[in-house]
Amino acid sequence: MSLGAFKAFWANVAGKEEQIGCDAVSRMLTVYPQTKTYFSHWKDLRPGSAPVKKHGATVMTAVTDAVSKIDDLTGGLLSLSELHAFTLRVDPANFKVLAHNLLVVLATVFPNDFTPEVHVAMDKFLAAVARALSEKYR
Amino acid sequence: MVVWTDFERTAIQDIFSKIDYAVVGQAAFSRCLIVYPWTQRYFGGFGNLYNAAAITSNPRVASHGKVIMEALEKAVKDMNNIKATYAELSALHSEKLQVDPDNFMLLGHCLTIVVASQLSKAFTPEVHAAFQKFLAVVVSSLRKQYY
């Protein structure tokens, strides 16, 4: 899929970041409860709660930023990688988990536009983002 | 033994009663071949799988997708005995087809995404969790006869 087509699909997300991000994080915490261990400092881990909504928006803003840095994800996500490696210490296996849940949400929100071609491009992109986030771990 | 809550049981049975096996099977299986192209290694006899368009219009892919859904229905019909239901299929995948069992969840992911796009808002996080649990049990049962 061409980069243009990929970015064109991602443009659909504009304005829906909070909704999509919130749904993705909600699903991750519900469907893969082991991920809740990273959020024990939140008062409310239920789907759609305030901290979940806020974090969903944070994540989506970062993913949209990564789309703009697609030609140099390692460089562009350097400080985020350091954050996840040294401060948050998230097991990198979880990046795949959140990525899958984001794809599920995109399928529910854009059932007609989330074609197999978009799906593979998105999966590949999120895997590349995960790799870039894992850079500083060791 | 797997313990299903009433909610989980109902959610799974509801999903399978709502979906068209031919449509969902074709969509999920073709996505698996497109998104995870290495899975094509098991389908050398299926003809043209050269690109997404070819895979999507391939009649053998479509009919095999339906076969997969019908096999999943067996588990839905007897949710307390999924391991026993799939003993033979597990041996088949291990000994004859020699499928790397890590591939099972790849198909599971694609099926989740297709079901999500079909059910939309009805595929809530709780229903999604029930479906994921079902898929995990199916995959675990299919892995059982590998040695």
Side-chain angles (χ1 to χ4, degrees):
Chain A
M1 163 175 267
S2 75
L3 189 55
F6 174 75
K7 287 188 174 179
F9 170 78
W10 193 257
N12 289 323
V13 169
K16 295 191 163 75
E17 287 92 347
E18 202 186 79
Q19 171 205 343
I20 291 174
C22 176
D23 197 1
V25 173
S26 298
R27 280 175 196 274
M28 182 185 75
L29 297 169
T30 309
V31 182
Y32 300 91
Q34 67 270 22
T35 56
K36 291 198 280 195
T37 56
Y38 292 99
F39 304 101
S40 52
H41 55 288
W42 286 357
K43 283 207 169 66
D44 188 353
L45 284 156
R46 290 170 304 174
S49 70
V52 168
K53 236 192 257 185
K54 180 160 173 265
H55 197 60
T58 304
V59 168
M60 284 306 282
T61 304
V63 176
T64 300
D65 184 54
V67 173
S68 72
K69 295 175 170 157
I70 200 167
D71 291 319
D72 180 18
L73 286 172
T74 308
L77 300 181
L78 194 73
S79 53
L80 261 180
S81 180
E82 284 173 348
L83 176 74
H84 285 77
F86 303 130
T87 310
L88 304 176
R89 297 222 169 105
V90 176
D91 186 329
N94 293 300
F95 298 149
K96 238 190 277 202
V97 173
L98 181 55
H100 172 63
N101 284 290
L102 179 51
L103 294 179
V104 171
V105 174
L106 292 174
T108 59
V109 177
F110 306 113
N112 297 317
D113 293 315
F114 194 63
T115 60
E117 290 89 338
V118 170
H119 179 172
V120 60
M122 211 58 246
D123 193 65
K124 186 174 166 181
F125 169 70
L126 291 173
V129 169
R131 270 197 305 279
L133 279 178
S134 307
E135 268 297 315
K136 297 311 252 178
Y137 273 68
R138 54 179 178 176
Chain B
M1 215 199 76
V2 185
V3 177
W4 302 100
T5 64
D6 289 337
F7 173 83
E8 286 165 347
R9 241 178 241 282
T10 310
I12 306 298
Q13 283 158 0
D14 202 47
I15 289 172
F16 276 80
S17 72
K18 286 200 169 98
I19 57 178
D20 179 325
Y21 290 1
V23 169
V24 169
Q26 187 272 343
F29 182 48
S30 57
R31 265 183 205 251
C32 187
L33 297 171
I34 293 167
V35 179
Y36 308 107
W38 53 93
T39 57
Q40 292 170 23
R41 80 187 296 278
Y42 303 110
F43 302 101
F46 272 37
N48 187 356
L49 299 176
Y50 299 139
N51 52 40
I55 290 170
T56 308
S57 57
N58 185 313
R60 292 206 57 186
V61 169
S63 66
H64 196 64
K66 189 158 176 241
V67 163
I68 293 170
M69 296 309 293
E70 283 162 353
L72 284 171
E73 188 189 51
K74 292 202 176 102
V76 178
K77 288 203 156 115
D78 192 5
M79 286 175 69
N80 291 336
N81 283 307
I82 296 178
K83 194 164 79 184
T85 303
Y86 285 145
E88 234 180 88
L89 261 179
S90 175
L92 177 78
H93 282 76
S94 161
E95 285 157 32
K96 184 157 174 271
L97 305 175
Q98 301 197 315
V99 177
D100 180 345
D102 286 345
N103 289 309
F104 297 147
M105 198 39 93
L106 298 183
L107 179 57
H109 285 329
C110 292
L111 183 54
T112 304
I113 279 167
V114 170
V115 167
S117 67
Q118 293 257 314
L119 302 182
S120 195
K121 288 236 150 19
F123 197 64
T124 61
E126 292 77 17
V127 169
H128 179 176
F131 193 65
Q132 181 59 35
K133 179 173 166 178
F134 171 73
L135 288 176
V137 173
V138 166
V139 167
S140 164
S141 305
L142 277 176
R143 293 184 87 117
K144 268 288 182 274
Q145 301 303 321
Y146 278 73
Y147 62 91

